[in-house]
């Protein structure tokens, strides 16, 4: 697909998530563009992971719309029509439009091709590294095996599909430097390798949007640099865009093209890394300020 | 002992053993006083009398205290042995050879077993016991264990009502063959399909529950099926059960004494043995079919998804796997295999009643799976042989009567021995007999995955 980068890929509009009386996210709107790395940052408890859970279908947002586009940006014009019709998605030859908040979690990955990783690593610890990467290609393999019926009799089409799946797994294992450990249990890998494997596993689902929840948490500076390189190479391939939650500013500032800052569920800044770095609201949220200044900032963002 | 105060001399081993024996004896006394110490008996006038059994009580307590005493005394020696055994772990060449040849050997033995028995006993009804009670009985449980292994061992869904699907299969065969005269070979797949239909029907509402809740609901389902079988008298004949169920034929040739019977056609003298041997090979084939299906499915995407589900359900969903469907397939597959086993059971017995499908059956099958090591086929087979064969062998221990007197029935102690054996095995091998996992696919070499990395699943 010869698509211009920097078209809007993901559009989050007026997203609100309430848990009983607690408002975790309040009226959040932002966009993520195709072919770039968008970072979502904010202090602890700002609601970043909740945003991820809403995007990937793990939570149903209380209010708001989350839309994702495959293909031609002209389809954005249809967004309100699709919403009004109560549909989950719109498929046209030139592309497709998905309303993620209406889809169950597994369809968000399968159909809308949005895949996530987790803050606390969720690998299949008792399965080998290779198996982890094959489980990620479940839907493709399931179709190739004729929902098991063909596969169980060893149909050649399934054998070919499995070979391709292994090739893809090997490609990613080379990329994350774990090829020599393909047959070891995922749970036996060192922590940093597990982090990289989780990214590779998510990539094996062939996503258009990869949502990474603190991928650099607990990594040493070297591993962190390796991870940056990996993410930049994913970006360079041009198929997958990245949405990133991260605390590690060295990762965020170096690799992201666009940053959205959340505090207490409210967007306080949105822009390039330079702009965000110098934004007084961001500095206040991260470093803390005098009491009266808090009042000023709160008044400004309408709290 | 580092915990001892430094100024006191460490107590001697014998002293410590005595102290621990006393404490254990006291605990045993407190525990067994109500259990063993008293018995209620009915007098001639039908009043209940409480009788004390001090002798039994004190012999039990003394036995336990002595066991504890000896155990503590043997402690240092056991420790030394354990320490010595550790470094010699790489020298497991023998084990490698063993594991390589075990499966073909076991298969070969299962195939020649009836011939082996006949060679010992000759062609007479004495062989029936060994082929029927040991061979067929064990193989039914092997098959059920392998079927439940898909649900519990691979997909990690704790199912306490597995026997319900076994019952569905058995009653399907019994009713359809009696009412419509359908043949065994037609009803075998049909009972499997009916059982898996019930599996899906139960699964839809239930599989959103997790862990303990799933276990409780499946337990209830097992009981509901049994109660329906008891109370729907017009269909199932209630407690009395269904008798005169047509027996399977040798591809159309019945096993009877008539001129068209198996023995007459093959020019043999009539004997009930032929049918039993036929049934033996039939259940062996069914069990091997179960094993084959499981081995194949583990290498399919659906099998990998089952195991991934056991490892981490949330991660599965994040990778686009429809977890509800995946659980349902596991449930349906397990139920279908139980249905096959059930229809075989009813064809073999010729008589079924709800008595055969009580909770204890579910518990036995689950024990086989847990004891064998969840997910391990060989482990499950060994556990079935131990548990079911062990029960049967207790009927044969007549020499014990010479020791304990003629009233002694070893079979009455089977639950006690069962429990003790389970406890011991679980201390020795907490994750079951074979607890490592073989990966379903590999690039360079197959490396077993250690048990401590495996999850049991949370439903």
């Amino acid at each position: 697909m010869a698509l211009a980068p920097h078209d809007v890929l993901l559009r989050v509009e007026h997203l609100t998530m309430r848990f009983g009386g607690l408002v975790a996210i309040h009226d959040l709107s932002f966009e993520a563009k195709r072919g770039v790395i968008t970072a979502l940052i904010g202090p602890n408890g700002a609601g970043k992971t909740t945003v991820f859970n809403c995007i990937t279908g793990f939570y149903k947002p209380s209010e708001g719309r989350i839309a994702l586009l495959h293909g031609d940006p002209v389809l954005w014009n249809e967004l309100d029509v699709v919403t009004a019709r109560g549909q989950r998605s719109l498929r046209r030859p030139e592309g497709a439009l998905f309303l993620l908040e209406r889809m169950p979690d597994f369809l968000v990955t399968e159909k809308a091709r949005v895949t996530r990783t987790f803050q606390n690593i969720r690998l299949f610890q008792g399965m080998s590294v290779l198996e982890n990467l094959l489980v990620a290609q479940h839907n493709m393999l399931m179709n190739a095996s004729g929902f098991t019926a063909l596969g169980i009799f060893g149909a050649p089409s399934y054998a070919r599909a499995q070979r391709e799946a292994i090739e893809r797994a090997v490609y990613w294992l080379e990329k994350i430097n774990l090829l020599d450990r393909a047959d070891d249990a995922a749970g036996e890998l060192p922590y940093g390798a597990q982090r990289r494997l989780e990214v590779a596993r998510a990539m094996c689902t062939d996503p258009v949007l990869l949502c990474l929840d603190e991928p650099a948490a607990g990594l040493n500076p070297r591993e962190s640099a390796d991870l940056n390189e990996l993410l930049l190479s994913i970006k360079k391939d041009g198929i997958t865009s990245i949405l990133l939650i991260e605390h590690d500013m060295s990762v965020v500032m170096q690799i992201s093209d666009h940053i959205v800052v959340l505090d207490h569920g409210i967007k306080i800044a949105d822009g390039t890394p330079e702009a965000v770095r110098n934004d007084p609201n961001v500095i206040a949220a991260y470093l803390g300020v005098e009491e009266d200044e808090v009042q000023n900032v709160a008044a400004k963002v309408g709290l | 002992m580092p915990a001892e105060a430094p100024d006191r001399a460490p107590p001697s081993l014998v002293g410590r053993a005595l102290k621990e024996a006393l404490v254990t004896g006291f605990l045993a006394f407190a525990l067994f006083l109500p259990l063993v110490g008293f018995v209620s008996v009915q007098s001639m006038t039908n009043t209940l009398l409480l009788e004390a059994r001090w002798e039994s009580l004190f012999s039990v307590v003394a036995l336990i205290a002595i066991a504890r005493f000896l155990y503590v005394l043997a402690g240092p020696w056991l420790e030394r042995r354990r320490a010595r055994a550790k470094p010699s772990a790489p020298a497991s060449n023998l084990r490698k050879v063993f594991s390589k040849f075990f499966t073909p050997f076991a298969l070969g033995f299962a195939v020649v077993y009836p011939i082996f028995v006949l060679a010992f006993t000759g062609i007479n009804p004495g062989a029936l016991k060994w082929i029927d009670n040991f061979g067929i009985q064990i193989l039914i449980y092997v098959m059920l264990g392998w079927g439940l292994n898909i649900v519990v061992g691979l997909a990690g869904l704790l199912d306490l009502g597995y026997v319900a699907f076994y019952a569905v299969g058995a009653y399907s065969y019994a009713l359809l063959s009696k009412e419509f005269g359908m043949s065994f070979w037609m009803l075998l797949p049909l009972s499997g399909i009916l059982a898996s239909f019930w599996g899906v029907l139960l699964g839809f509402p239930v599989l959103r529950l997790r862990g303990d809740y799933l276990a409780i609901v499946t337990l209830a389902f097992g009981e509901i099926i049994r109660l329906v079988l008891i109370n729907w008298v017009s269909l199932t004949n209630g407690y009395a059960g269904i008798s005169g169920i047509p027996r399977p034929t040798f591809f159309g040739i019945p096993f009877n004494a008539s001129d068209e019977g198996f023995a007459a056609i093959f020019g043999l003298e009539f004997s009930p043995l032929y049918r039993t041997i036929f049934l033996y090979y039939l259940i062996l084939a069914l069990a091997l079919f179960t094993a084959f299906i499981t081995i194949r499915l583990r290498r399919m995407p659906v099998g990998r998804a089952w195991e991934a589900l056991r490892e981490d359900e949330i991660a599965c969903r994040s990778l686009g796997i429809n977890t509800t469907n995946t659980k349902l397939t596991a449930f349906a597959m397990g139920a279908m295999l139980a249905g096959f086993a059930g229809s075989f059971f009813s064809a073999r017995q010729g008589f079924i009643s709800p008595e055969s499908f009580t909770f204890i059956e579910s518990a036995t099958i689950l024990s086989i799976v847990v004891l064998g090591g969840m997910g391990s086929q060989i482990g499950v087979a060994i556990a079935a042989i131990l548990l079911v064969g062990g029960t049967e062998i207790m009927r044969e221990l007549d020499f014990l009567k010479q020791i304990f007197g003629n009233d002694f029935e070893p079979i009455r102690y089977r639950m006690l021995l069962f429990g003790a054996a389970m406890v011991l095995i679980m201390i020795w091998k907490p994750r079951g007999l074979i607890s490592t996992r073989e990966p379903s696919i590999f690039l360079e070499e197959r490396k077993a995955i250690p048990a401590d990395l495996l999850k049991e699943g949370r439903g």
Side-chain angles (χ1 to χ4, degrees):
Chain A
M1 283 185 289
L3 287 163
H6 308 301
D7 292 331
V8 173
L9 172 70
L10 175 80
R11 198 176 261 181
V12 175
E13 292 171 340
H14 305 292
L15 178 69
T16 297
M17 183 76 210
R18 281 184 290 267
F19 296 102
L22 178 83
V23 182
I25 308 168
H26 180 71
D27 197 23
L28 171 72
S29 301
F30 71 91
E31 288 174 350
K33 295 200 164 64
R34 195 191 306 276
V36 302
I37 298 180
T38 308
L40 195 58
I41 66 170
N44 282 332
K48 305 178 298 278
T49 301
T50 308
V51 173
F52 261 38
N53 282 336
C54 289
I55 293 174
T56 52
F58 279 79
Y59 292 161
K60 291 279 154 264
S62 315
E63 282 165 38
R65 178 163 74 180
I66 306 168
L68 182 106
L69 180 89
H70 291 178
D72 197 335
V74 178
L75 280 176
W76 280 125
N77 300 332
E78 308 282 334
L79 181 56
D80 287 330
V81 180
V82 177
T83 312
R85 277 200 214 126
Q87 289 171 324
R88 273 183 186 168
S89 61
L90 173 79
R91 284 152 197 278
R92 291 276 176 78
E94 66 267 26
L97 198 58
F98 297 92
L99 289 180
L100 301 185
E101 84 277 7
R102 294 181 179 172
M103 299 167 78
D105 43 25
F106 69 93
L107 285 184
V108 169
T109 305
E110 190 186 343
K111 303 289 182 208
R113 291 167 60 200
V114 177
T115 310
R116 68 172 297 179
T117 64
F118 295 88
Q119 205 168 339
N120 46 339
I121 305 175
R122 284 187 172 273
L123 288 171
F124 306 122
Q125 308 244 327
M127 300 175 86
S128 75
V129 170
L130 181 62
E131 282 179 307
N132 266 274
L133 297 183
L134 288 185
V135 171
Q137 303 177 54
H138 176 82
N139 289 313
M140 187 274 282
L141 286 171
M142 199 69 180
N143 289 332
S145 72
F147 296 92
T148 312
L150 291 173
I152 206 156
F153 298 112
S157 66
Y158 173 67
R160 196 165 1 137
Q162 172 149 309
R163 231 176 5 254
E164 280 167 17
I166 294 173
E167 271 165 26
R168 185 195 290 249
V170 168
Y171 169 80
W172 281 105
L173 285 175
E174 270 173 351
K175 227 164 166 163
I176 61 170
N177 248 330
L178 278 179
L179 189 56
D180 53 329
R181 307 216 51 184
D183 297 323
D184 286 321
E188 285 175 328
L189 297 180
Y191 183 82
Q194 293 197 14
R195 280 267 175 223
R196 294 205 301 279
L197 179 60
E198 208 187 12
V199 174
R201 187 180 68 177
M203 285 308 294
C204 278
T205 63
D206 192 19
V208 296
L209 181 65
L210 176 64
C211 300
L212 301 171
D213 197 344
E214 299 201 20
L219 298 187
N220 64 34
R222 234 211 90 162
E223 290 172 324
S224 194
D226 285 349
L227 182 78
N228 282 359
E229 208 174 294
L230 175 66
L231 298 188
L232 286 174
S233 92
I234 290 173
K235 172 184 154 186
K236 215 177 89 205
D237 291 342
I239 300 160
T240 308
S241 315
I242 295 174
L243 184 63
L244 179 76
I245 293 180
E246 192 48 77
H247 272 303
D248 187 339
M249 284 301 147
S250 72
V251 175
V252 173
M253 291 299 166
Q254 273 174 37
I255 66 169
S256 40
D257 304 290
H258 179 105
I259 297 180
V260 177
V261 191
L262 283 186
D263 190 20
H264 296 293
I266 295 168
K267 185 166 88 173
I268 58 171
D270 186 346
T272 61
E274 290 73 41
V276 163
R277 202 200 310 251
N278 300 319
D279 191 304
N281 292 341
V282 177
I283 297 168
Y286 267 89
L287 300 176
V289 286
E290 303 295 322
E291 187 58 29
D292 54 337
E293 210 168 322
V294 172
Q295 306 279 325
N296 287 344
V297 173
K300 222 160 93 188
V301 298
L303 193 73
Chain B
M1 294 226 74
E4 293 287 349
D7 54 342
R8 248 185 14 201
S12 72
L13 190 62
V14 179
R16 196 159 59 87
L18 266 177
K19 198 176 119 197
E20 287 205 19
L22 266 177
V23 172
T24 314
F26 178 74
L27 282 177
F29 177 79
L31 186 65
F32 285 108
L33 181 65
L35 288 179
V36 178
F38 293 102
V39 65
S40 57
V41 285
Q42 246 170 1
S43 73
M44 298 296 271
T45 55
N46 266 348
T47 43
L48 275 179
L49 297 174
L50 200 59
E51 258 180 30
R53 294 193 296 187
W54 300 119
E55 271 174 38
S56 314
L57 177 62
F58 283 115
S59 45
V60 166
V61 169
L63 212 66
I64 290 168
I66 289 168
R68 182 76 206 179
F69 181 74
L70 293 176
Y71 178 73
V72 174
L73 272 190
W77 178 76
L78 280 174
E79 208 118 289
R80 268 203 305 280
R81 245 192 66 154
R82 213 169 291 156
R84 219 178 311 139
K86 271 263 163 67
S88 66
S92 59
N93 234 345
L94 193 75
R95 183 172 289 184
K96 240 178 215 163
V97 172
F98 175 78
S99 63
K100 193 173 167 195
F101 289 108
F102 180 76
T103 313
F105 175 78
L107 265 180
F109 180 77
V111 171
V112 298
Y113 175 74
I115 301 165
F116 189 70
V117 169
L118 289 183
F120 265 92
T121 59
I123 301 185
N124 66 50
L128 265 181
K129 183 179 79 186
W130 291 98
I131 297 175
D132 197 44
N133 292 3
F134 283 87
I136 296 179
Q137 187 76 1
I138 289 174
L139 281 173
I140 288 179
Y141 280 93
V142 169
M143 179 172 178
L144 287 169
W146 280 344
L148 186 61
N149 191 24
I150 291 180
V151 184
V152 177
L154 295 187
L157 305 166
L158 186 52
D159 181 357
L160 290 181
Y162 193 61
V163 80
F165 306 119
Y166 186 45
V168 169
Y171 271 84
S172 304
Y173 175 78
L175 292 171
L176 291 174
S177 68
K178 270 193 88 168
E179 295 298 322
F180 301 106
M182 293 162 85
S183 79
F184 176 76
W185 295 105
M186 234 158 92
L187 283 173
L188 183 71
L190 197 61
S191 340
I193 289 167
L194 281 170
S196 71
F197 167 74
W198 281 97
V200 171
L201 212 63
L202 169 72
F204 254 118
V206 156
L207 285 177
R208 64 190 64 227
L209 302 175
R210 313 189 63 188
D212 308 348
Y213 301 98
L214 178 69
I216 291 166
V217 175
T218 50
L219 172 71
F221 178 73
E223 285 303 291
I224 288 170
I225 289 272
R226 194 174 62 88
L227 290 175
V228 168
L229 293 179
I230 290 172
N231 290 304
W232 194 355
V233 179
S234 60
L235 182 74
T236 65
N237 203 19
Y239 274 119
I242 300 172
S243 52
I245 300 167
R247 314 300 295 265
T249 56
F250 185 78
F251 305 100
I253 308 168
F255 290 95
N256 57 22
S258 72
D259 285 345
E260 284 86 45
F262 178 84
I265 284 180
F266 286 88
L268 301 160
E269 201 178 323
F270 175 75
S271 157
L273 257 180
Y274 300 125
R275 170 160 49 214
T276 309
I277 292 171
F278 173 69
L279 286 173
Y280 176 86
Y281 283 112
L282 186 59
I283 185 67
L284 183 64
L286 282 173
L288 291 180
F289 171 74
T290 309
F292 172 77
I293 284 271
T294 314
I295 291 170
R296 287 296 295 183
L297 283 178
R298 268 198 69 206
R299 295 178 191 160
M300 292 287 116
V302 68
R304 283 199 202 106
W306 289 340
E307 292 200 81
L309 202 63
R310 179 194 65 206
E311 295 291 318
D312 194 328
E313 185 177 344
I314 304 254
C316 278
R317 279 155 54 190
S318 84
L319 296 173
I321 295 174
N322 185 339
T323 49
T324 313
N325 283 359
T326 308
K327 285 179 183 178
L328 272 181
T329 51
F331 228 62
M333 185 57 66
M336 184 179 84
L337 294 168
F340 288 159
S343 77
F344 172 84
F345 174 76
S346 113
R348 167 218 183 195
Q349 300 288 94
F351 164 75
I352 51 170
S353 76
E355 290 292 291
S356 309
F357 308 107
T358 50
F359 171 67
I360 195 76
E361 292 295 314
S362 285
T364 309
I365 303 165
L366 189 65
S367 320
I368 286 172
V369 174
V370 173
L371 196 65
M374 292 203 270
S376 157
Q377 307 237 303
I378 294 175
V380 167
I382 296 173
I385 293 170
L386 284 181
L387 283 192
V388 182
T391 317
E392 290 300 320
I393 209 93
M394 259 180 258
R395 294 182 209 276
E396 308 301 319
L397 301 180
D398 280 336
F399 68 90
L400 287 177
K401 285 192 177 166
Q402 277 145 30
I403 306 174
F404 295 102
N406 264 335
D407 298 342
F408 186 78
E409 289 284 347
I411 196 73
R412 283 164 60 188
Y413 294 86
R414 74 175 203 284
M415 281 299 164
L416 188 71
L417 292 176
F418 237 50
M422 286 280 263
V423 168
L424 285 179
I425 292 177
M426 285 292 138
I427 290 172
W428 172 51
K429 289 237 163 191
R431 292 283 194 126
L433 294 173
I434 296 181
S435 49
T436 56
R437 172 177 176 270
E438 291 282 314
S440 61
I441 193 164
F442 61 97
L443 266 191
E444 300 291 331
E445 65 172 312
R446 195 183 288 280
K447 292 179 190 166
I449 291 171
D452 52 336
L453 289 176
L454 299 174
K455 304 269 191 310
E456 281 113 355
R458 290 187 49 229

